[in-house]
Amino acid sequence: MANVTDLQTKYSKLAQEYSKLRAQNQVLKKAVVDEQANSASLKEQLKQRDQSLRKQEQEMDSLSFRNQQLAKRVELLQEELAASESKGDSPSQHGLQTQSVFDEDLQKKIEENERLHIQFYEADEQHKKTEAELRERLEKLEKDAEQHQAVVDGLTTKYAETIERLQSDKARLEVRLNTSSISLCSQQQLRRCQSELNRQVKQSSSVIQEKVPFNDTSEYLRSVNCAAFQLKARDVAGQAMSFIQDLVAALLNFHSYTEQRVHIYPLDSSIETISPLNQKFSQYLHENAAYVRPLEDSFLQLYQSITEDTVTVLETVIKLKNFAVNFSSYTHFLQKILPYQLKSLEEECEAPLCTAALNAKNQELQSDIKRVTSVFEKLQNYINLLALPSVRQDAMPQSNTSAVFTQLAACLHSLHDAIKEMSKHYNQKAVIERELPTVTQKLCTTTECLLGSLGSLTSCTGKIATFFSNNLDFFTSSGYSPRGSTAALNPVQAESMLANKKKATAYIQAVKKPQSVPYREALSNRRILTSSTESREGLTQQVQQSQEKIARLEQEKEHWLLEAQLGKVRLEKENQRIAELEAQLAAALGGSLNSQTAAAGALTRGHEEAAAELKAAGKEPTLCTSLVGMLCTTPTDEHVGDEESREQLIKSHYMARVGELTTQLQISDSKAVHFHSECRALAKRLAIAEKSRETFSEEVKLANQNITRLQDELATTKRSYEDQLSMMSDHLCSMNETLSKQREEIDTLKMGSKV
């Protein structure tokens, strides 16, 4: 079970890591989208710049056309001047006036031409500067996009690896969960056995309780189960304490926000004086903490008085009287402010903008407030009755106490219903007030706070009513009274019970018994035992693995020893062959054929003599066949049964070799399965990479197309600007020449007129 829990924990950690990586991926995707949006906005700005540039080109064309018109006009004027000079019939004064008009007009045109030329130059420089900035920004954005794309690619591959790893971990966890099904079945069987044993214990205890008489009417046995009852009483008092604290906070908020609303509506005290009735009502509401806070303090004292060393019954709980007194004072406070609340609602009804629906809701709220006050009066009476036995002995029998508790539970439910109804009507009234034209934001905020306090008050009273109903059996139980007796427990009996309890405790402590192991220590010992068992199992597995590894290494050692022996034999053969070759070489260099034949004959005679000796000794070579193979042996006196031992050794060697090959085959199969799964994962990753590569290639194509288009537009724009500049420069040159000629002619005319 612990392994399953660890696996689930690891799997949850992997899932959390995967969720974090997914969140990072989303952030990076968002960043890429933002950069793409910025790039699109820059492209849009570039288009706008192009449009403005085209507008400027059109203006330049219109200006060039205007200059041409002016040049034609100047030519016409020159022609007219020439015609007038040729005729010579115009008077000299008229000629001078005409010449001065021409001079002024020409000077204006020259200045206008210079200004247009300056404007054109400035616009050209501004366009070049803007174009360079946009290019730099576009290059920067392209670099950022490439970086983001690289990050996205890296994260995509990382996520793919993480997904594959998580999938493999999931498969492994599923396998482990399947293997742990046996332990789960055993645990289920254990639970069934435990439930069966519990059922049998309950049945036996019920039989004992019904059949075996046990009358604990003696005064000494009343202390049995005292600690359990006290713990239950303290627990119930603690829960009630938390509910009382919530109730006190809700009542304080309700009265405080009601006071703020009185100062705002129907008249705002910051603008005009409110009515004396509302002033008195506000003064009383301002004193609410003096009546509400003591409820919490007195109940806290009651809770602190309930301990394990006390006896908690109505006759011994003296602090309950203080709580009853404080609750009575709060009830009197509610009765005191009740007429002011009703009159305040009547003033709201008399307001000029009060509608019929709002008037009806105010009347419903008046009835709700009266109902809540009456319910608090009933609660006061029941709490005073419960506090009476602590002041007077035998003031109320046990049957009457149960009836009081039952009525108190019903009264708490009535209080919850009344406050719930008042909260509903207040909500409806707030909705109607928001539609009035004179409602301020301050009033809306105060009303919302008041509704929130009413909601918390409704929730708190509901919890108190439910809590009291659930623990009604505990409140109405006989408690410490003897079985079969209806008499209440007085303080003297309670003191004797506590004395008997102390005696029993001292007796148990005096009897020396072997100490039992504490529960926490037993749990820690069990945890240590479980961990040691798990570690022992792990060490056993490690020892087995080490033994298998040692056996495999021994097999490899034998294999390499055989290989070394074979190598040694081959080395000897090679040395022998080298010696023979050296002998042959020496014979070829300095020997003769006779020596060679003599050596061969000597070798043959040596072999024949050895064979004859073996035959004389009766040790001829024999050929043995078996399942392993054939073996040619020569028996000797010392080793007669070597054939069988050698065959057994060879057989054991080959069997070990077969075992080694089987182990290698199993390892190869497992590696093949692992490689197959890795290949499948790599194939999936390759497919994903191919898809991403295709999408990226398409994006790159689109980007290249956009770059090509922008370059073409830039080249076209540059060419048109160059053409226009060349044309303007030619036109300006021609105009300068024309102006210089006109200036010379004007000078000549001036000189002629002077002469």
Side-chain angles (χ1 to χ4, degrees):
M1 194 66 184
N3 292 329
V4 175
T5 307
D6 293 338
L7 293 174
Q8 290 178 355
T9 308
K10 290 179 181 178
Y11 186 72
S12 63
K13 288 181 180 178
L14 290 172
Q16 290 176 2
E17 185 179 358
Y18 177 66
S19 62
K20 289 180 182 177
L21 293 174
R22 284 189 65 184
Q24 292 177 1
N25 189 14
Q26 293 295 332
V27 172
L28 289 172
K29 284 184 178 178
K30 186 177 180 182
V32 171
V33 170
D34 294 338
E35 291 298 331
Q36 290 178 354
N38 291 330
S39 178
S41 64
L42 288 174
K43 290 180 181 178
E44 188 67 26
Q45 291 180 4
L46 187 60
K47 288 182 181 178
Q48 292 177 0
R49 297 286 183 180
D50 291 337
Q51 290 177 0
S52 62
L53 186 60
R54 292 191 186 94
K55 289 181 181 179
Q56 290 178 1
E57 290 176 357
Q58 292 177 359
E59 290 178 358
M60 289 299 299
D61 294 337
S62 62
L63 289 173
S64 62
F65 179 72
R66 179 63 177 168
N67 287 332
Q68 291 177 1
Q69 287 182 348
L70 291 173
K72 290 180 180 179
R73 186 177 178 186
V74 168
E75 291 177 356
L76 290 174
L77 290 173
Q78 288 177 355
E79 291 177 357
E80 289 178 358
L81 181 61
S84 63
E85 287 178 353
S86 62
K87 289 179 181 181
D89 55 352
S90 60
S92 61
Q93 186 177 2
H94 182 267
L96 290 173
Q97 291 177 356
T98 305
Q99 187 66 33
S100 63
V101 170
F102 286 162
D103 291 339
E104 291 177 359
D105 192 6
L106 183 60
Q107 187 66 29
K108 288 180 182 179
K109 297 303 178 183
I110 290 169
E111 291 177 355
E112 184 179 1
N113 195 4
E114 290 178 355
R115 183 174 53 81
L116 290 174
H117 185 68
I118 292 169
Q119 289 180 358
F120 175 74
Y121 179 74
E122 290 178 353
D124 190 14
E125 291 295 329
Q126 185 69 23
H127 176 262
K128 288 180 180 179
K129 185 177 180 181
T130 307
E131 185 179 1
E133 291 178 355
L134 290 174
R135 281 182 178 281
E136 291 178 358
R137 193 172 179 184
L138 182 61
E139 290 176 357
K140 184 178 179 182
L141 289 174
E142 287 178 352
K143 290 180 181 178
D144 293 339
E146 289 177 357
Q147 292 177 358
H148 286 301
Q149 194 62 41
V151 172
V152 169
D153 294 339
L155 288 175
T156 304
T157 54
K158 185 177 179 181
Y159 296 153
E161 294 174 358
T162 306
I163 290 169
E164 292 295 334
R165 187 175 67 255
L166 289 173
Q167 288 177 354
S168 61
D169 291 339
K170 183 180 178 182
R172 187 168 61 254
L173 290 172
E174 289 176 354
V175 172
R176 292 186 181 178
L177 287 173
N178 292 329
T179 55
S180 63
S181 59
I182 299 173
S183 62
L184 292 175
C185 293
S186 62
Q187 288 179 0
Q188 291 177 0
Q189 291 178 1
L190 180 61
R191 292 194 189 97
R192 285 197 294 269
C193 293
Q194 288 178 353
S195 62
E196 183 66 23
L197 290 174
N198 291 329
R199 187 182 63 78
Q200 292 178 3
V201 168
K202 288 181 181 178
Q203 186 177 1
S204 302
S205 61
S206 63
V207 170
I208 291 170
Q209 189 175 3
E210 291 175 359
K211 302 299 181 182
V212 180
F214 182 72
N215 298 323
D216 54 349
T217 56
S218 63
E219 188 173 337
Y220 179 75
L221 294 176
R222 289 178 185 174
S223 60
V224 179
N225 294 330
C226 176
F229 187 84
Q230 282 299 119
L231 290 175
K232 176 67 176 176
R234 185 166 178 80
D235 183 27
V236 171
Q239 296 180 18
M241 181 66 205
S242 63
F243 293 140
I244 291 295
Q245 289 175 351
D246 296 340
L247 178 64
V248 167
L251 289 174
L252 287 172
N253 292 332
F254 175 69
H255 293 312
S256 300
Y257 292 132
T258 304
E259 180 187 358
Q260 293 180 13
R261 180 180 169 83
V262 168
H263 283 284
I264 297 172
Y265 190 77
L267 297 176
D268 194 350
S269 61
S270 61
I271 300 174
E272 51 187 332
T273 307
I274 60 177
S275 63
L277 181 70
N278 282 336
Q279 290 180 0
K280 194 71 174 177
F281 183 35
S282 173
Q283 182 181 356
Y284 286 151
L285 288 174
H286 191 68
E287 300 172 356
N288 69 90
Y291 299 96
V292 180
R293 290 289 183 190
L295 293 175
E296 182 180 358
D297 298 336
S298 59
F299 201 89
L300 180 60
Q301 294 176 2
L302 173 62
Y303 170 67
Q304 292 174 352
S305 66
I306 300 173
T307 60
E308 295 181 3
D309 298 331
T310 59
V311 177
T312 304
V313 290
L314 291 177
E315 288 78 8
T316 59
V317 181
I318 303 174
K319 299 294 182 181
L320 183 60
K321 182 63 178 176
N322 297 333
F323 179 75
V325 171
N326 291 325
F327 196 86
S328 299
S329 64
Y330 177 68
T331 306
H332 294 321
F333 169 72
L334 291 179
Q335 292 173 354
K336 182 172 64 174
I337 65 173
L338 177 61
Y340 295 99
Q341 284 180 312
L342 301 178
K343 291 292 184 181
S344 177
L345 291 173
E346 289 178 0
E347 283 190 6
E348 291 184 6
C349 294
E350 293 173 359
L353 295 177
C354 182
T355 60
L358 191 59
N359 192 1
K361 294 302 173 186
N362 287 330
Q363 292 178 0
E364 291 177 353
L365 282 174
Q366 287 179 350
S367 61
D368 292 336
I369 292 170
K370 291 178 182 178
R371 182 183 173 189
V372 170
T373 307
S374 64
V375 172
F376 268 101
E377 291 175 359
K378 290 181 181 179
L379 286 174
Q380 171 196 352
N381 295 329
Y382 291 133
I383 292 172
N384 288 330
L385 285 174
L386 292 176
L388 191 61
S390 63
V391 181
R392 287 171 44 193
Q393 302 296 327
D394 299 332
M396 187 168 49
Q398 183 69 26
S399 58
N400 293 343
T401 304
S402 302
V404 170
F405 275 116
T406 305
Q407 293 297 326
L408 182 60
C411 192
L412 287 173
H413 282 286
S414 300
L415 178 64
H416 171 62
D417 296 337
I419 293 178
K420 185 178 180 180
E421 195 72 18
M422 184 170 67
S423 177
K424 183 180 73 173
H425 291 156
Y426 233 116
N427 275 304
Q428 295 173 357
K429 178 184 176 181
V431 172
I432 296 172
E433 283 181 349
R434 290 193 190 97
E435 298 176 356
L436 296 177
T438 58
V439 175
T440 60
Q441 184 64 32
K442 188 177 180 181
L443 178 61
C444 292
T445 305
T446 306
T447 305
E448 289 176 359
C449 295
L450 186 61
L451 292 176
S453 63
L454 277 174
S456 61
L457 191 61
T458 304
S459 175
C460 182
T461 52
K463 290 179 182 178
I464 292 174
T466 305
F467 160 75
F468 204 87
S469 299
N470 293 335
N471 293 282
L472 187 61
D473 295 335
F474 173 75
F475 292 133
T476 57
S477 62
S478 59
Y480 293 98
S481 60
R483 294 181 183 176
S485 176
T486 58
L489 189 69
N490 53 33
V492 177
Q493 293 173 343
E495 291 179 1
S496 65
M497 184 186 296
L498 291 176
N500 292 330
K501 180 182 176 182
K502 291 179 180 178
K503 290 179 181 179
T505 305
Y507 174 75
I508 291 172
Q509 291 178 355
V511 177
K512 294 183 179 180
K513 293 184 178 180
Q515 295 182 357
S516 61
V517 179
Y519 180 67
R520 292 183 179 177
E521 185 176 353
L523 284 179
S524 63
N525 292 336
R526 183 178 180 277
R527 194 177 299 110
I528 292 169
L529 181 61
T530 304
S531 62
S532 63
T533 304
E534 293 176 356
S535 62
R536 186 184 65 184
E537 292 176 357
L539 291 173
T540 304
Q541 292 179 359
Q542 291 180 3
V543 168
Q544 291 178 358
Q545 293 176 359
S546 301
Q547 289 177 355
E548 293 176 357
K549 189 174 181 181
I550 289 168
R552 188 166 60 253
L553 291 173
E554 288 291 338
Q555 292 175 1
E556 291 180 357
K557 179 183 177 182
E558 292 178 359
H559 169 69
W560 290 114
L561 285 174
L562 290 173
E563 292 289 340
Q565 291 177 0
L566 290 174
K568 189 174 181 181
V569 171
R570 290 172 184 170
L571 180 61
E572 290 177 356
K573 287 182 179 180
E574 288 294 330
N575 291 332
Q576 186 179 0
R577 190 172 64 82
I578 290 169
E580 290 177 357
L581 290 174
E582 289 177 353
Q584 290 177 5
L585 182 60
L589 292 175
S592 62
L593 183 61
N594 294 326
S595 62
Q596 291 179 0
T597 54
L603 183 61
T604 305
R605 283 195 300 273
H607 283 293
E608 289 176 356
E609 289 175 359
E613 289 176 358
L614 290 173
K615 286 180 180 180
K619 299 176 181 178
E620 295 181 356
T622 58
L623 184 65
C624 298
T625 60
S626 64
L627 294 173
V628 179
M630 292 186 298
L631 180 64
C632 182
T633 60
T634 303
T636 61
D637 293 333
E638 297 175 354
H639 305 284
V640 179
D642 286 345
E643 294 86 357
E644 295 180 359
S645 62
R646 189 178 294 110
E647 182 179 354
Q648 189 66 29
L649 287 173
I650 295 172
K651 185 178 179 180
S652 62
H653 169 69
Y654 279 107
M655 291 300 291
R657 184 64 176 168
V658 168
E660 180 184 355
L661 292 174
T662 305
T663 306
Q664 291 180 358
L665 181 61
Q666 292 177 356
I667 294 171
S668 301
D669 290 338
S670 62
K671 286 183 178 179
V673 172
H674 178 66
F675 289 152
H676 179 66
S677 61
E678 285 188 355
C679 289
R680 289 180 61 185
L682 289 172
K684 290 181 181 179
R685 288 173 57 188
L686 182 61
I688 294 170
E690 288 291 336
K691 290 181 181 178
S692 61
R693 187 177 64 82
E694 291 177 358
T695 55
F696 292 152
S697 61
E698 291 178 358
E699 291 179 358
V700 168
K701 287 181 181 178
L702 292 174
N704 290 328
Q705 290 177 1
N706 291 329
I707 291 171
T708 306
R709 181 174 56 79
L710 291 173
Q711 288 178 353
D712 294 337
E713 291 179 357
L714 182 63
T716 305
T717 306
K718 186 176 180 181
R719 196 181 305 112
S720 62
Y721 282 166
E722 289 177 353
D723 295 339
Q724 290 178 6
L725 285 173
S726 61
M727 184 176 65
M728 286 296 294
S729 60
D730 295 339
H731 181 67
L732 288 173
C733 291
S734 61
M735 287 295 294
N736 288 328
E737 291 177 356
T738 306
L739 288 173
S740 61
K741 290 179 181 179
Q742 289 178 357
R743 195 175 290 111
E744 290 176 357
E745 291 177 357
I746 289 168
D747 291 337
T748 55
L749 289 172
K750 285 181 179 180
M751 293 296 293
S753 61
K754 287 179 181 180
V755 172

